[in-house]
Amino acid sequence: MRVCKFEIQNFKSIQKASFEWADIVVLIGENNAGKSTVLQALQCFLGGSQLKDPEFFCEKLTDLDHAVELTAHFCDLSEIEQQAAAVRGRMFGDTWVLKKKFWCERENGEEAAWKELYYSYSAEENFVNWPETESAWANFPEEYQALIAQLTGRGARPNNQTREQLKNLVREQTPALLGRGAPGWIPNPGGGGNWKSNANSIVPRCVYVKAVHDATEESTSKGASSYGKIVSLIIEKKLMQRPEIVDLKYRIESVLRLFNPDPEHPEMQAAEIRDIEDRINSRLNRVIGGTVSIRTSDVEIEPLLLPSTYLVLKDRADGVDTAPMHQGHGLQRTLVMTLLQILVEIQAETAPTEGERRAFGIPPRPVVLAVEEPELYMHPQMERKMRDVLYELAAQPDFQVICTTHSPVFLDIARSHKSIVRAVKGSDRVVTLFQVTQDIFGGPDADPERERLQLVKNFHPTVNEMFFARRVVLLEEYSAVVAFERAADLAGLFERHPQLRRDVTVIDCQGKGSIPMFQRVLNHFKIPYTVIHDDDAGNQAEEATNARIAGLLVTTEGQNVCHTIGPTNLEGLLGNPARRDKPYQALRRVEELHRNGNLPAEFLAALNWVYFGQAVEPIIPGPN
């Protein structure tokens, strides 16, 4: 199974947000925008944790009306997963939807009682002619009696376990007796037994690699550390299909059958277990009705074999064993990347087929890898290697990846724009997630625009910086970038307005024809921008491009503007006709005109449009 959508409500700074997910999700946004909150919510959901701290609740409101709700939509479930106790009969079409709700109840001044409830979104089952009074087998109509006869250890009266066994027989043998109502949120999705455990046992495992490690937290449980979890996954992938392990699983299943009888082979239940059940029921029936049965839960072999898998490091051959969290941060991150590389290789080598899963009883537990700021403590070449590792791991059948980043290196808008989720925290401190789920590029120019964006990004990866900007400025070419940045420096704009370095990102679009391509991307992600381009009056082809730019400029927010440099172009305005070394010549010409006090008024107006989105520099308020 895969998480195809995740919804968050009232979790920390997120009132309500959601995002869709295929293989990889890259969360971007400013510091303190809520990116790590998304990962924490996902870890809480997949880890089966119960929330018992007001810090996890939006504005620390913990009552039922402000309950935290975390919802995951799972798709691509295998046949084994569809038959799991928490999923069987609970699918909504091709999707299994699981919601977890957390809140706190306080009554009459009593101590706080933390609550949780699980739901699945599905159509509730209706069993035809199921009796309202289900406390006696005789109350069930004739069509159920043949199935009741198949029940083992059914006792004189029905109980919760035997009634659930009967429902399973109906599902398997007489589906005509099974109907469905309208879809809705159904509590306790396990269908009997420990429904919470059933649900948590089937969802993907989460490996959370935090940005900053707390040594005390890491040392409390070796198996709980990110290193321990990754190492366990590597060993599990290599070890779990050995004949010895397969034989051990078969022997454990044989032991479990001594407790849990097979309806078709009741003789396989241990005589000792039946004797104990008979003794209990004999004495129980002297007092009240009903029967009891002895059951045991399934045993997973991995926690038995890999309870405390961990790594130690030595800085030299005769050195002392040291845990990774006590090494430098650079080494820690390099170690994580190395382990993930090995995991990618082993996953490709050992991924079992569906037939092998069935034959060996391999539990199809997929993995979600959540990484905070994978670029930390890495130089640019290592950043790109880490990016490739994460994308390769996300392409594996049993893995999904989600990461937060401040590095443009990890974005690939041309290949997978749907993987980018932009987190924005408004003035009200509420977090909003922006994601483009439809194709940005449409129409007859879709493929050329996509290819052009890929080409520009490959040669100028800094264009991805626009996703981290508060306001983007789109310029035709690099000579314009050089001219305006040098003029702003000479004019003292950066000294008078220090925030410009942080707030404004200037992008070289590699030609006017590429500007609409960037506009489409920015429009979809709701990133405000300004376009500065040459007027090129009298050139029909350029005027047609001008019209395309103007057509894409209009948005519902009304926050995007365009300024044209006339009457022809920037070179003509600066009196710089040179066609060779244009960036250098533009730089020299701006310096010369500034030195002589001759920078044209139209150029200075364009400079203000670049950095302030208006023709005049804003007045800086003086002291009161």
Side-chain angles (χ1 to χ4, degrees):
M1 68 169 66
R2 306 179 77 78
V3 182
C4 52
K5 185 177 181 179
F6 190 61
E7 302 176 49
I8 306 169
Q9 185 169 322
N10 294 331
F11 187 86
K12 300 184 80 169
S13 59
I14 300 178
Q15 288 185 354
K16 191 172 185 179
S18 65
F19 60 91
E20 296 183 11
W21 196 351
D23 299 326
I24 187 170
V25 166
V26 182
L27 284 160
I28 61 173
E30 296 185 0
N31 289 326
N32 199 34
K35 302 185 298 298
S36 295
T37 299
V38 175
L39 267 59
Q40 291 168 6
L42 185 66
Q43 183 194 34
C44 172
F45 182 94
L46 297 177
S49 304
Q50 182 178 0
L51 299 184
K52 296 183 178 181
D53 188 339
E55 294 293 335
F56 289 103
F57 290 74
C58 190
E59 298 183 359
K60 300 184 180 180
L61 299 174
T62 61
D63 58 283
L64 182 59
D65 291 337
H66 300 88
V68 169
E69 294 186 6
L70 305 176
T71 307
H73 300 242
F74 298 97
C75 57
D76 299 335
L77 277 74
S78 68
E79 292 184 20
I80 297 175
E81 290 167 333
Q82 292 182 37
Q83 295 304 313
V87 180
R88 184 177 60 247
R90 300 295 184 183
M91 296 281 288
F92 178 63
D94 296 331
T95 306
W96 179 48
V97 186
L98 177 65
K99 176 167 70 175
K100 300 184 179 183
K101 187 173 183 177
F102 308 93
W103 72 98
C104 182
E105 291 184 357
R106 292 180 174 87
E107 295 182 359
N108 302 323
E110 295 181 359
E111 187 176 347
W114 294 96
K115 303 291 185 178
E116 66 175 342
L117 186 60
Y118 287 22
Y119 301 81
S120 71
Y121 189 82
S122 56
E124 191 162 15
E125 293 178 320
N126 298 319
F127 292 86
V128 178
N129 296 328
W130 190 274
E132 292 185 10
T133 304
E134 51 183 15
S135 58
W137 293 120
N139 293 341
F140 285 78
E142 180 63 30
E143 53 263 41
Y144 287 95
Q145 293 302 322
L147 300 176
I148 293 172
Q150 299 180 38
L151 298 175
T152 57
R154 62 179 179 272
R157 294 178 178 274
N159 58 27
N160 288 336
Q161 290 180 331
T162 54
R163 280 191 288 266
E164 187 58 34
Q165 289 181 41
L166 178 58
K167 289 179 180 180
N168 285 335
L169 290 177
V170 172
R171 296 182 185 109
E172 296 169 1
Q173 299 184 25
T174 58
L177 294 177
L178 181 62
R180 289 192 175 275
W185 288 111
I186 311 299
N188 302 351
N194 190 340
W195 50 266
K196 175 183 175 181
S197 176
N198 291 337
N200 287 327
S201 68
I202 192 66
V203 299
R205 289 171 288 181
C206 182
V207 177
Y208 188 9
V209 182
K210 296 183 179 181
V212 179
H213 286 287
D214 183 340
T216 58
E217 178 183 334
E218 289 281 358
S219 61
T220 56
S221 174
K222 297 172 181 176
S225 73
S226 54
Y227 309 104
K229 288 182 178 179
I230 298 173
V231 171
S232 293
L233 283 173
I234 292 172
I235 295 175
E236 178 185 324
K237 294 293 181 181
K238 290 293 286 185
L239 191 67
M240 287 300 108
Q241 295 181 62
R242 285 189 60 89
E244 297 92 334
I245 303 298
V246 175
D247 182 63
L248 177 59
K249 288 185 176 183
Y250 175 78
R251 292 178 181 274
I252 290 176
E253 290 173 358
S254 299
V255 173
L256 293 178
R257 283 195 290 270
L258 298 178
F259 289 84
N260 304 329
D262 185 342
E264 298 181 2
H265 301 282
E267 73 280 358
M268 296 189 69
Q269 185 183 28
E272 294 84 351
I273 297 296
R274 289 200 301 271
D275 178 64
I276 295 173
E277 289 178 345
D278 291 342
R279 292 188 184 195
I280 295 174
N281 289 323
S282 175
R283 286 171 172 77
L284 187 64
N285 286 329
R286 296 174 187 174
V287 183
I288 60 173
T291 60
V292 299
S293 300
I294 297 174
R295 298 289 183 265
T296 185
S297 301
D298 291 342
V299 177
E300 292 190 18
I301 193 171
E302 288 79 4
L304 298 177
L305 298 179
L306 305 170
S308 300
T309 305
Y310 62 100
L311 290 178
V312 293
L313 297 172
K314 292 181 179 180
D315 55 2
R316 59 182 189 274
D318 59 346
V320 178
D321 289 347
T322 307
M325 67 284 296
H326 297 299
Q327 299 290 334
H329 289 116
L331 187 148
Q332 289 187 35
R333 277 294 159 135
T334 303
L335 176 59
V336 168
M337 188 190 70
T338 302
L339 293 174
L340 293 177
Q341 283 179 302
I342 296 172
L343 185 58
V344 169
E345 296 170 359
I346 292 176
Q347 173 68 13
E349 295 169 1
T350 63
T353 64
E354 184 70 14
E356 290 173 330
R357 290 186 190 275
R358 287 184 172 279
F360 299 148
I362 300 173
R365 288 295 302 276
V367 176
V368 166
L369 176 66
V371 186
E372 282 187 342
E373 302 180 34
E375 71 275 11
L376 280 182
Y377 313 110
M378 290 190 174
H379 56 77
Q381 290 79 8
M382 291 293 284
E383 280 189 46
R384 286 189 283 273
K385 184 174 290 187
M386 175 66 97
R387 173 203 60 197
D388 293 341
V389 167
L390 293 182
Y391 274 87
E392 289 173 12
L393 193 59
Q396 298 296 327
D398 288 338
F399 279 85
Q400 286 179 282
V401 174
I402 182 169
C403 68
T404 68
T405 185
H406 293 279
S407 171
V409 170
F410 286 84
L411 305 185
D412 194 343
I413 183 64
R415 181 171 68 175
S416 181
H417 64 272
K418 296 180 183 179
S419 67
I420 300 174
V421 177
R422 179 171 172 253
V424 177
K425 181 175 285 188
S427 57
D428 55 0
R429 311 301 295 166
V430 174
V431 174
T432 304
L433 301 182
F434 293 100
Q435 181 184 30
V436 179
T437 55
Q438 72 273 24
D439 197 346
I440 291 177
F441 305 106
D445 297 328
D447 290 338
E449 283 193 335
R450 190 179 290 105
E451 292 171 1
R452 180 183 294 180
L453 181 59
Q454 182 69 53
L455 182 65
V456 172
K457 187 192 73 68
N458 286 344
F459 284 96
H460 297 275
T462 54
V463 299
N464 281 338
E465 291 180 11
M466 65 186 180
F467 289 101
F468 303 89
R470 293 187 175 181
R471 187 167 66 85
V472 173
V473 179
L474 303 177
L475 300 180
E476 285 191 41
E477 55 187 356
Y478 187 59
S479 59
V481 176
V482 170
F484 286 122
E485 287 193 345
R486 183 55 177 154
D489 191 23
L490 292 171
L493 295 188
F494 299 134
E495 293 180 5
R496 294 193 295 276
H497 307 275
Q499 77 279 4
L500 292 179
R501 292 286 193 189
R502 179 196 65 193
D503 293 351
V504 178
T505 297
V506 180
I507 299 295
D508 168 18
C509 294
Q510 299 287 293
K512 183 190 292 186
S514 297
I515 291 177
M517 171 184 65
F518 285 93
Q519 287 181 273
R520 292 183 191 277
V521 175
L522 294 170
N523 285 344
H524 279 284
F525 282 94
K526 294 181 172 56
I527 300 174
Y529 63 89
T530 299
V531 181
I532 309 292
H533 66 79
D534 296 334
D535 191 359
D536 292 318
N539 185 322
Q540 291 185 354
E542 296 296 321
E543 289 178 348
T545 303
N546 294 351
R548 290 179 59 205
I549 293 172
L552 290 168
L553 194 70
V554 180
T555 63
T556 56
E557 289 78 11
Q559 58 186 349
N560 304 325
V561 295
C562 179
H563 177 75
T564 58
I565 299 174
T568 54
N569 53 42
L570 182 62
E571 288 84 3
L573 183 63
L574 293 177
N576 178 31
R579 306 305 298 175
R580 296 181 59 187
D581 299 326
K582 288 178 64 177
Y584 176 71
Q585 295 298 333
L587 176 70
R588 294 295 302 273
R589 185 60 177 161
V590 166
E591 291 177 339
E592 178 185 350
L593 292 172
H594 174 77
R595 188 167 52 249
N596 297 327
N598 292 329
L599 279 171
E602 172 64 23
F603 177 81
L604 293 175
L607 179 66
N608 289 328
W609 279 106
V610 169
Y611 287 101
F612 306 111
Q614 59 188 44
V616 179
E617 179 182 349
I619 298 175
I620 303 174
N624 294 330

mmCIF file of all heavy atoms in Angstrom, residues 331-355:
data_model
loop_
_atom_site.group_PDB
_atom_site.id
_atom_site.type_symbol
_atom_site.label_atom_id
_atom_site.label_comp_id
_atom_site.label_asym_id
_atom_site.label_seq_id
_atom_site.Cartn_x
_atom_site.Cartn_y
_atom_site.Cartn_z
ATOM 1 N N LEU A 331 29.497 13.875 9.861
ATOM 2 C CA LEU A 331 29.644 12.425 9.770
ATOM 3 C C LEU A 331 28.294 11.735 9.922
ATOM 4 O O LEU A 331 28.005 10.756 9.243
ATOM 5 C CB LEU A 331 30.624 11.941 10.845
ATOM 6 C CG LEU A 331 31.015 10.461 10.772
ATOM 7 C CD1 LEU A 331 32.441 10.269 11.259
ATOM 8 C CD2 LEU A 331 30.077 9.580 11.590
ATOM 9 N N GLN A 332 27.460 12.251 10.830
ATOM 10 C CA GLN A 332 26.132 11.647 11.011
ATOM 11 C C GLN A 332 25.341 11.668 9.716
ATOM 12 O O GLN A 332 24.729 10.668 9.327
ATOM 13 C CB GLN A 332 25.362 12.410 12.101
ATOM 14 C CG GLN A 332 25.877 12.192 13.508
ATOM 15 C CD GLN A 332 24.976 12.841 14.534
ATOM 16 O OE1 GLN A 332 23.777 12.877 14.376
ATOM 17 N NE2 GLN A 332 25.562 13.370 15.597
ATOM 18 N N ARG A 333 25.320 12.814 9.057
ATOM 19 C CA ARG A 333 24.546 12.916 7.826
ATOM 20 C C ARG A 333 25.150 12.053 6.710
ATOM 21 O O ARG A 333 24.430 11.452 5.919
ATOM 22 C CB ARG A 333 24.476 14.379 7.381
ATOM 23 C CG ARG A 333 23.375 15.140 8.115
ATOM 24 C CD ARG A 333 22.039 14.582 7.703
ATOM 25 N NE ARG A 333 20.997 14.874 8.650
ATOM 26 C CZ ARG A 333 19.784 15.315 8.332
ATOM 27 N NH1 ARG A 333 19.494 15.509 7.074
ATOM 28 N NH2 ARG A 333 18.879 15.536 9.244
ATOM 29 N N THR A 334 26.467 12.000 6.641
ATOM 30 C CA THR A 334 27.104 11.152 5.643
ATOM 31 C C THR A 334 26.774 9.684 5.906
ATOM 32 O O THR A 334 26.546 8.903 4.972
ATOM 33 C CB THR A 334 28.633 11.360 5.659
ATOM 34 O OG1 THR A 334 28.920 12.740 5.444
ATOM 35 C CG2 THR A 334 29.294 10.536 4.563
ATOM 36 N N LEU A 335 26.726 9.304 7.172
ATOM 37 C CA LEU A 335 26.374 7.931 7.523
ATOM 38 C C LEU A 335 24.941 7.614 7.106
ATOM 39 O O LEU A 335 24.665 6.544 6.556
ATOM 40 C CB LEU A 335 26.543 7.721 9.030
ATOM 41 C CG LEU A 335 26.130 6.348 9.574
ATOM 42 C CD1 LEU A 335 26.936 5.242 8.911
ATOM 43 C CD2 LEU A 335 26.308 6.314 11.084
ATOM 44 N N VAL A 336 24.021 8.542 7.361
ATOM 45 C CA VAL A 336 22.633 8.330 6.940
ATOM 46 C C VAL A 336 22.559 8.136 5.434
ATOM 47 O O VAL A 336 21.875 7.228 4.937
ATOM 48 C CB VAL A 336 21.750 9.523 7.378
ATOM 49 C CG1 VAL A 336 20.381 9.455 6.698
ATOM 50 C CG2 VAL A 336 21.572 9.527 8.885
ATOM 51 N N MET A 337 23.264 8.995 4.684
ATOM 52 C CA MET A 337 23.232 8.882 3.226
ATOM 53 C C MET A 337 23.814 7.547 2.769
ATOM 54 O O MET A 337 23.285 6.892 1.866
ATOM 55 C CB MET A 337 24.001 10.034 2.578
ATOM 56 C CG MET A 337 23.840 10.076 1.057
ATOM 57 S SD MET A 337 24.953 11.239 0.280
ATOM 58 C CE MET A 337 26.515 10.414 0.521
ATOM 59 N N THR A 338 24.912 7.114 3.407
ATOM 60 C CA THR A 338 25.525 5.831 3.044
ATOM 61 C C THR A 338 24.563 4.678 3.296
ATOM 62 O O THR A 338 24.410 3.783 2.455
ATOM 63 C CB THR A 338 26.814 5.625 3.861
ATOM 64 O OG1 THR A 338 27.715 6.707 3.606
ATOM 65 C CG2 THR A 338 27.484 4.317 3.481
ATOM 66 N N LEU A 339 23.906 4.692 4.455
ATOM 67 C CA LEU A 339 22.945 3.626 4.770
ATOM 68 C C LEU A 339 21.788 3.622 3.773
ATOM 69 O O LEU A 339 21.325 2.560 3.347
ATOM 70 C CB LEU A 339 22.418 3.803 6.191
ATOM 71 C CG LEU A 339 23.421 3.602 7.340
ATOM 72 C CD1 LEU A 339 22.784 3.961 8.671
ATOM 73 C CD2 LEU A 339 23.941 2.178 7.356
ATOM 74 N N LEU A 340 21.319 4.801 3.392
ATOM 75 C CA LEU A 340 20.210 4.868 2.434
ATOM 76 C C LEU A 340 20.635 4.364 1.059
ATOM 77 O O LEU A 340 19.854 3.717 0.354
ATOM 78 C CB LEU A 340 19.685 6.303 2.340
ATOM 79 C CG LEU A 340 18.993 6.841 3.594
ATOM 80 C CD1 LEU A 340 18.585 8.298 3.391
ATOM 81 C CD2 LEU A 340 17.778 5.996 3.946
ATOM 82 N N GLN A 341 21.879 4.670 0.667
ATOM 83 C CA GLN A 341 22.382 4.146 -0.605
ATOM 84 C C GLN A 341 22.383 2.619 -0.598
ATOM 85 O O GLN A 341 21.960 1.977 -1.569
ATOM 86 C CB GLN A 341 23.800 4.667 -0.859
ATOM 87 C CG GLN A 341 23.856 6.109 -1.322
ATOM 88 C CD GLN A 341 25.289 6.555 -1.529
ATOM 89 O OE1 GLN A 341 26.116 6.508 -0.616
ATOM 90 N NE2 GLN A 341 25.606 6.968 -2.740
ATOM 91 N N ILE A 342 22.855 2.039 0.487
ATOM 92 C CA ILE A 342 22.889 0.579 0.593
ATOM 93 C C ILE A 342 21.466 0.024 0.588
ATOM 94 O O ILE A 342 21.181 -1.012 -0.030
ATOM 95 C CB ILE A 342 23.642 0.151 1.864
ATOM 96 C CG1 ILE A 342 25.114 0.584 1.763
ATOM 97 C CG2 ILE A 342 23.533 -1.350 2.094
ATOM 98 C CD1 ILE A 342 25.889 0.388 3.045
ATOM 99 N N LEU A 343 20.554 0.723 1.269
ATOM 100 C CA LEU A 343 19.159 0.288 1.301
ATOM 101 C C LEU A 343 18.551 0.280 -0.093
ATOM 102 O O LEU A 343 17.809 -0.639 -0.460
ATOM 103 C CB LEU A 343 18.352 1.196 2.228
ATOM 104 C CG LEU A 343 16.889 0.809 2.472
ATOM 105 C CD1 LEU A 343 16.789 -0.597 3.042
ATOM 106 C CD2 LEU A 343 16.235 1.818 3.406
ATOM 107 N N VAL A 344 18.866 1.296 -0.895
ATOM 108 C CA VAL A 344 18.384 1.337 -2.281
ATOM 109 C C VAL A 344 18.881 0.117 -3.046
ATOM 110 O O VAL A 344 18.124 -0.553 -3.756
ATOM 111 C CB VAL A 344 18.843 2.633 -2.978
ATOM 112 C CG1 VAL A 344 18.584 2.558 -4.483
ATOM 113 C CG2 VAL A 344 18.113 3.834 -2.407
ATOM 114 N N GLU A 345 20.174 -0.175 -2.921
ATOM 115 C CA GLU A 345 20.750 -1.309 -3.650
ATOM 116 C C GLU A 345 20.111 -2.626 -3.219
ATOM 117 O O GLU A 345 19.727 -3.452 -4.060
ATOM 118 C CB GLU A 345 22.262 -1.350 -3.400
ATOM 119 C CG GLU A 345 23.017 -0.137 -3.934
ATOM 120 C CD GLU A 345 24.464 -0.111 -3.453
ATOM 121 O OE1 GLU A 345 24.842 -1.031 -2.691
ATOM 122 O OE2 GLU A 345 25.193 0.828 -3.815
ATOM 123 N N ILE A 346 19.974 -2.829 -1.914
ATOM 124 C CA ILE A 346 19.440 -4.093 -1.408
ATOM 125 C C ILE A 346 17.963 -4.232 -1.746
ATOM 126 O O ILE A 346 17.481 -5.321 -2.069
ATOM 127 C CB ILE A 346 19.682 -4.201 0.105
ATOM 128 C CG1 ILE A 346 21.184 -4.356 0.368
ATOM 129 C CG2 ILE A 346 18.908 -5.366 0.713
ATOM 130 C CD1 ILE A 346 21.555 -4.381 1.829
ATOM 131 N N GLN A 347 17.227 -3.126 -1.670
ATOM 132 C CA GLN A 347 15.812 -3.176 -2.020
ATOM 133 C C GLN A 347 15.621 -3.630 -3.463
ATOM 134 O O GLN A 347 14.739 -4.433 -3.777
ATOM 135 C CB GLN A 347 15.174 -1.797 -1.818
ATOM 136 C CG GLN A 347 13.748 -1.666 -2.309
ATOM 137 C CD GLN A 347 12.768 -2.493 -1.505
ATOM 138 O OE1 GLN A 347 13.112 -2.981 -0.440
ATOM 139 N NE2 GLN A 347 11.554 -2.637 -2.012
ATOM 140 N N ALA A 348 16.470 -3.125 -4.360
ATOM 141 C CA ALA A 348 16.377 -3.526 -5.764
ATOM 142 C C ALA A 348 16.764 -4.993 -5.956
ATOM 143 O O ALA A 348 16.240 -5.682 -6.832
ATOM 144 C CB ALA A 348 17.271 -2.629 -6.618
ATOM 145 N N GLU A 349 17.662 -5.479 -5.106
ATOM 146 C CA GLU A 349 18.136 -6.864 -5.245
ATOM 147 C C GLU A 349 17.150 -7.884 -4.680
ATOM 148 O O GLU A 349 17.026 -8.987 -5.202
ATOM 149 C CB GLU A 349 19.473 -7.028 -4.498
ATOM 150 C CG GLU A 349 20.618 -6.213 -5.082
ATOM 151 C CD GLU A 349 21.814 -6.203 -4.146
ATOM 152 O OE1 GLU A 349 21.729 -6.844 -3.067
ATOM 153 O OE2 GLU A 349 22.821 -5.546 -4.465
ATOM 154 N N THR A 350 16.458 -7.512 -3.585
ATOM 155 C CA THR A 350 15.729 -8.526 -2.815
ATOM 156 C C THR A 350 14.230 -8.317 -2.755
ATOM 157 O O THR A 350 13.542 -9.048 -2.043
ATOM 158 C CB THR A 350 16.256 -8.553 -1.365
ATOM 159 O OG1 THR A 350 15.999 -7.278 -0.750
ATOM 160 C CG2 THR A 350 17.739 -8.842 -1.328
ATOM 161 N N ALA A 351 13.686 -7.306 -3.449
ATOM 162 C CA ALA A 351 12.247 -7.055 -3.349
ATOM 163 C C ALA A 351 11.464 -8.296 -3.767
ATOM 164 O O ALA A 351 11.589 -8.766 -4.895
ATOM 165 C CB ALA A 351 11.865 -5.867 -4.233
ATOM 166 N N PRO A 352 10.654 -8.887 -2.870
ATOM 167 C CA PRO A 352 9.924 -10.108 -3.203
ATOM 168 C C PRO A 352 8.730 -9.825 -4.097
ATOM 169 O O PRO A 352 8.152 -8.742 -4.058
ATOM 170 C CB PRO A 352 9.459 -10.622 -1.841
ATOM 171 C CG PRO A 352 9.334 -9.382 -1.005
ATOM 172 C CD PRO A 352 10.413 -8.457 -1.490
ATOM 173 N N THR A 353 8.366 -10.805 -4.901
ATOM 174 C CA THR A 353 7.169 -10.706 -5.715
ATOM 175 C C THR A 353 5.949 -10.986 -4.844
ATOM 176 O O THR A 353 6.070 -11.456 -3.711
ATOM 177 C CB THR A 353 7.209 -11.704 -6.873
ATOM 178 O OG1 THR A 353 7.203 -13.040 -6.307
ATOM 179 C CG2 THR A 353 8.474 -11.520 -7.698
ATOM 180 N N GLU A 354 4.759 -10.716 -5.381
ATOM 181 C CA GLU A 354 3.539 -11.007 -4.638
ATOM 182 C C GLU A 354 3.437 -12.499 -4.342
ATOM 183 O O GLU A 354 3.004 -12.915 -3.265
ATOM 184 C CB GLU A 354 2.326 -10.540 -5.445
ATOM 185 C CG GLU A 354 0.995 -10.703 -4.735
ATOM 186 C CD GLU A 354 0.822 -9.760 -3.566
ATOM 187 O OE1 GLU A 354 1.605 -8.789 -3.440
ATOM 188 O OE2 GLU A 354 -0.084 -10.002 -2.755
ATOM 189 N N GLY A 355 3.852 -13.352 -5.315
ATOM 190 C CA GLY A 355 3.829 -14.794 -5.092
ATOM 191 C C GLY A 355 4.749 -15.207 -3.971
ATOM 192 O O GLY A 355 4.413 -16.078 -3.150
#
